[in-house]
Amino acid sequence: MDFSQSKSIFETAQSLMPGGVNSPARAFGSVGGTPLIMERGEGAYLYDVDGNKLIDYIGSWGPMILGHKHPGVLEALRVAMENGTSFGAPTAAENELAQLIIDLVPSVEKVRLVNSGTEATMSAIRLARGFTGRDVVVKFSGNYHGHVDSLLVAAGSSAATLGVPNSPGVTAGTSKDTLILNYNDVDGLVAAFNEHGSRIAAVIMEPVVGNMGCVPADADFMQAVRDVTSQHGSLMILDEVMTGFRVSIGGAQQIYGVSPDITTMGKIVGGGLPIGAYAGRADIMDHVLPAGQVFQAGTLSGNPIATAAGIATLKALRDESPYEKIDQLASRLGDGLAAAAESAGVEHCVQRVGSMLTLFFHFGPVKSWDQAAECDTKRFSSYFWGMIENGVYMPCSQYEALFVSAAHTQQDIDHTIQAAEKVIAAL
Ligand SMILES: *Cc1c(COP(=O)(O)O)cnc(C)c1O
């Protein structure tokens, strides 16, 4: 494959933007080499500036569950654009999107729209602290909640440790009220609540972690989070920015049968345009300004163009219900990748929930960050580039889930499996 145009454009980009990108994962840092510069998307495919066609398993890191250029979404955008792009005043469309979210996500009674997943988690944390009058927030190693200062804290200690910042610019003061625990560790969770329970405002968690590869919560761990937070007067924040409208139409909370106090959303809820949302129990949400005292605002929040894309996407998911089809495709893909690694004699495990899946170069199962960190990431880099050479575009890190969309076909999946057989055998 020829990547000369990509190389040249990326070289220029590096003189214009830090690292040449506007979000770090795009720079291919963990696999090396030059990122592909994309020109357009169509259904399940991306086309780069050198004219290479790739089967896309990133889907813009989550939002594009319907594939690129879904006709219903494009039509909704066209209609919305005719009326202008932003008013800074309420619109009826915001009611429609809020109602859809309330109807589809079991625990949600009221919604506030924001512009990104990061804004959603940042605002949810502030709301939880304002509602409870407490300071401490619990997060789990390897869970990503956007670039919120207080949530950008080191992952890795096996015991409960009070957080230390791991990005320059995040002060010790900001992260000192963040308590980091191990994912899927019920005993550690209970012990932390026994010691600090009366100071804990909230636990925030990914129900199925996508940000250390696909790592689902054990059912008893999810239940333990619900139980200890209720017992200690803390809130449970389920970060469904990635899983919302993906692992099922009602998100992971529908699959687990758990009812969080606050849910954060992003990605699919904007259908490829910038939207996030935090939502939940009405008595909690009514603490947000102007109903309550917790400040949160946004010039472009509920923007009519983005809102239109969100409505069209959620309606298509509700009416077309592609989940069973996507699940079958993803299952076929997961089985095929596992078989390819097995026949090549490569240590591996495949973890999957619905359309999210990861081939780990680890004997598995991977249940926590400590285990994820043991993966053979060098092997992953060779695998990643081998797949690109065969026309398959997967996340450029062992620690990201790949996504199957409603636009993928069985031929796409089978092409991908054949590529994996060839690539893994040659590793
Ligand atoms: C992507 C993601 C975020 C951050 O969302 P942005 O829109 O990138 O700010 C937060 N939480 C989870 C679980 C995510 O996957």
Side-chain angles (χ1 to χ4, degrees):
M1 265 188 194
D2 176 25
F3 303 121
S4 55
Q5 290 294 325
S6 280
K7 286 197 168 108
S8 146
I9 291 171
F10 189 64
E11 200 169 308
T12 307
Q14 283 174 296
S15 70
L16 302 171
M17 294 169 280
V21 291
N22 284 308
S23 192
R26 297 177 199 169
F28 280 16
S30 59
V31 289
T34 303
L36 307 194
I37 309 295
M38 294 305 170
E39 191 164 86
R40 64 192 184 90
E42 184 90 50
Y45 310 114
L46 286 174
Y47 299 82
D48 72 10
V49 289
D50 289 290
N52 299 308
K53 177 184 178 185
L54 300 131
I55 306 175
D56 178 20
Y57 289 103
I58 300 184
S60 190
W61 303 92
M64 311 313 293
I65 189 167
L66 296 171
H68 300 281
K69 290 179 68 180
H70 183 275
V73 176
L74 290 193
E75 182 54 26
L77 286 172
R78 252 179 241 120
V79 170
M81 253 165 13
E82 290 299 323
N83 290 325
T85 55
S86 187
F87 318 127
T91 57
E94 288 159 80
N95 286 10
E96 199 180 351
L97 182 53
Q99 188 69 58
L100 273 166
I101 294 170
I102 291 165
D103 290 346
L104 295 175
V105 186
S107 68
V108 169
E109 296 170 350
K110 273 195 175 174
V111 179
R112 171 60 64 88
L113 297 178
V114 293
N115 301 292
S116 69
T118 296
E119 262 191 73
T121 58
M122 178 181 77
S123 308
I125 295 288
R126 183 182 303 145
L127 173 58
R129 286 174 165 153
F131 180 79
T132 59
R134 299 175 180 182
D135 295 340
V136 175
V137 169
V138 170
K139 84 168 282 280
F140 299 103
S141 302
N143 282 212
Y144 177 67
H145 304 293
H147 61 91
V148 180
D149 277 358
S150 62
L151 300 176
L152 264 188
V153 283
S157 166
S158 54
T161 47
L162 279 170
V164 273
N166 71 351
S167 166
V170 177
T171 64
T174 309
S175 52
K176 81 170 181 359
D177 289 322
T178 306
L179 187 62
I180 305 158
L181 303 177
N182 282 323
Y183 197 66
N184 278 326
D185 175 8
V186 175
D187 293 344
L189 176 72
V190 170
F193 266 85
N194 285 339
E195 195 176 341
H196 304 286
S198 64
R199 294 170 53 220
I200 296 175
V203 174
I204 185 166
M205 69 183 287
E206 291 187 77
V208 177
V209 186
N211 294 292
M212 53 179 167
C214 180
V215 178
D218 293 336
D220 67 332
F221 178 68
M222 181 74 81
Q223 192 56 49
V225 172
R226 182 61 283 180
D227 292 344
V228 289
T229 47
S230 296
Q231 283 156 16
H232 292 266
S234 312
L235 300 185
M236 177 179 184
I237 303 172
L238 206 58
D239 184 355
E240 297 231 44
V241 171
M242 187 177 284
T243 54
F245 314 103
R246 172 167 291 284
V247 296
S248 85
I249 188 85
Q253 57 194 266
Q254 182 167 299
I255 297 180
Y256 282 88
V258 67
S259 192
D261 302 298
I262 303 175
T263 301
T264 53
M265 298 167 224
K267 299 188 172 132
I268 290 175
V269 79
L273 276 88
I275 303 191
Y278 62 113
R281 272 169 43 194
D283 66 310
I284 298 173
M285 293 304 295
D286 280 338
H287 277 65
V288 177
L289 206 69
Q293 300 285 308
V294 177
F295 191 94
Q296 187 269 310
T299 301
L300 293 174
S301 296
N303 169 270
I305 309 293
T307 301
I311 292 169
T313 299
L314 297 194
K315 276 190 176 162
L317 289 172
R318 183 192 63 190
D319 300 340
E320 294 166 23
S321 194
Y323 295 98
E324 206 181 298
K325 177 201 152 187
I326 304 178
D327 193 74
Q328 281 167 6
L329 291 174
S331 164
R332 186 181 180 93
L333 178 60
D335 291 350
L337 295 179
E342 186 67 36
S343 68
V346 166
E347 198 165 76
H348 70 282
C349 73
V350 170
Q351 295 186 180
R352 180 181 78 85
V353 177
S355 57
M356 290 171 64
L357 73 100
T358 299
L359 166 64
F360 289 100
F361 291 115
H362 185 289
F363 53 85
V366 175
K367 286 176 170 281
S368 68
W369 173 248
D370 288 345
Q371 289 164 337
E374 295 165 359
C375 288
D376 188 341
T377 52
K378 261 185 99 160
R379 182 170 273 162
F380 179 85
S381 302
S382 313
Y383 166 67
F384 169 82
W385 277 110
M387 294 303 277
I388 292 238
E389 286 291 341
N390 284 277
V392 179
Y393 189 64
M394 289 181 164
C396 51
S397 165
Q398 172 75 92
Y399 303 120
E400 298 282 356
L402 64 81
F403 300 118
V404 177
S405 79
H408 286 93
T409 62
Q410 192 158 309
Q411 289 91 297
D412 296 327
I413 301 296
D414 291 346
H415 174 95
T416 305
I417 293 170
Q418 282 155 20
E421 284 166 354
K422 208 161 69 179
V423 169
I424 298 175
L427 286 180

